[in-house]
Amino acid sequence: MKFGILNRNKKKFIAYNEFRKTIFYKLAPKEAETILCLLPWLLSVNHPKCPGYIRELTQPFRVYNIDYDRKIRSLESEFKRNFGIERQGTLLKSTPSQYMIQGLYTIGSIGSIAQTSTSDCDIWICIDKKNFNPIGWKLINHKTNLIKDWLDSILKIPVYFFISDVAALKECQFGCVDSESCGSTQQQVLKEEFYRTCIVICGKTPLWWLCYDSPTPLNYHKTLADIQGDGFWEYDVIDFGDIEIIDPKEYFGATLWQFHKSLSRPLKSLIKILLLKSLLEAPQKRLLCHQLREQVMTNENEKYFPDFNVFTIESILLSLKNDGPELTQFIMECFYIRCEINPYDKSHFIKNELISNLLANYPIDKRRQTDLRKVKDWNFTDQIDFGNQIFMLLLKSYKEISKATPNAVSESDKRDLTILGRRISAYYVKKKYKISVIQKPTRDLNISNLTLSLKNNSWQVYNGNDLSATLITVNSIVFIMAYLVWNDLFTPSGIRMRPNSSNITLQEVINLGKNMHSFFGTNNSLEIDFSDYLKGERIEKLMVVLDFETSPWYVKTKDYCVIYTNCWGEMFVRQFSSTHKFESYMRKMSKKQYNIQISYYVQRNASSFEKLIERAKQSSRVTPYK
């Protein structure tokens, strides 16, 4: 009877898995065929004309069950033709000696309602490492890197490979799955996400998915022992381990990790943070992957299966039912934008069907839906206002999470809270002389050519010619340019200047912006080691701008602007109206700081350019950065 249940569940999972693949094909046909069919084929062949070819490979790699994948076999002739291979017959020939790849699996939004034009694809290449000698381990990494380089050149979707040992995954030893990860290991949290979001590209089926029965699920460990026993045939399933409960400390650590990611991807991380927060508040709740599995296995709709993202957002909204309709509405709007819902896009037909019930239960006015689909066309002010709403919700959640009970906070978590607090401060807390960071709800802001205007001794920046859309107003053009560069709004061809009475020319402004960008980069281009947030604030880069806002024909310097960035990723602008004040500041700074990279900028048409530079260097008494 048990084996009958396993077979029944396997058929249901295969149907669900194919449905996920169908969504992928509908949303990105070329990428789907390449990832779902060509990738496992390339890993299983070794031909000189194919990406991933290794001359010294004598023991080939082979993805389990690839011989029985009808889609891949039907496309093999096309694959060979595209690579100019004239050899007849299949290249997928089994040999007595081969390295077996147990399976290829996606984790994340691919093949779901949340797959968008900016989605990436994380793929686990799962192997039994004990069957790989050191040479085989080295070659599988080499082959994978060669294939990835080729995929990067032809696909719009970024693909990331993680070669994983099945035994390690079973013990929740995932290694470094993200360069941004820090703090508490996620362990069971990541396994739960894998089971809830995975697609089997090719290879063995996760046993966990087959251990469903009602009212009591099959015992995972007993089922595993049965199918490995002598009385049962080889079953094409893979043992990644069971999952029943998750320690609140893991939810806490995973939430901190998502807060770090939210600083660069707020909209995407917001949903995950709200989910983890709800789970942290109700740790005894049945795991979402178990709830989703039940919905899949009991699904009677022949055309559609449940979408795990819709299922997730419903769980979040249910947990927030007492927080008021305004919050529910805002989260639904974020989800709508996050999934790039568009009822008029034929390729989104499945998306629209999968979200229809959710919109019926949590409706969004049709006019508002139209606005949300055009978020990239909103005026700059509306985009920033929406971004600020996301930030305020994230900040509110951060404060609530930070007050978690001591039992849910490990020593590692306390350290991470310190790091995260300082990162948030670096991004958002206002400080004297500091360049503020714009809250961007999406990667692309609706900004046309920026126009500089001088009015009543204050410089203003407008979006295009719209004088009502003021980005910033200050009395220093150097501060203006630092603001634009640091927020990645500066492009040399996208700056205009209205006629004014100052001595500053548009070309000099562009030259200054180029120098700033080259020297400092932007706030989202910095790579700061998390350990730096545990250290004291330290200046790392400093630029001195001389007499930029005075006549270029002055011989005596009287205006100094100092722009600097610190080890926490903050930028500041100080202005001094005399050489004495500038020298005093630099002396104090140089006593406390060391190894500072320093650059100088003077208008190239200044009458005494070299003298001004030399005077500034001597005043600073710090070796400049070359």
Side-chain angles (χ1 to χ4, degrees), residues 12 29 52 69 143 147 150 166 172 201 205 232 236 244 263 268 281 299 334 394 411 474 500 540 599 601 607:
K12 182 70 77 169
D69 192 306
K143 187 175 185 71
I147 293 174
W150 180 74
V166 175
C172 297
I201 296 175
T205 301
F232 193 61
D236 55 348
E244 288 295 336
L263 299 180
K268 183 176 181 180
E281 293 170 348
N299 179 65
C334 289
L394 286 169
E411 289 302 316
V474 292
N500 60 75
E540 292 196 332
S599 180
Y601 184 84
S607 61

Side-chain angles (χ1 to χ4, degrees), residues 147 151 171 216 229 234-235 239 284 297 305 327 331-332 337 344 376 437 461 471 524 534 541 543 546 563 574 579:
I147 293 174
L151 292 176
E171 299 299 323
T216 305
E234 176 66 24
Y235 212 83
D239 173 25
Q284 302 306 317
M297 292 301 169
F305 279 91
L327 178 59
I331 293 172
M332 275 296 296
I337 295 173
Y344 303 105
K376 293 182 180 179
V437 177
V461 180
L471 272 66
N524 55 13
L534 297 173
K541 289 186 176 182
M543 175 181 283
L546 305 169
I563 309 138
R574 298 285 307 270
T579 301

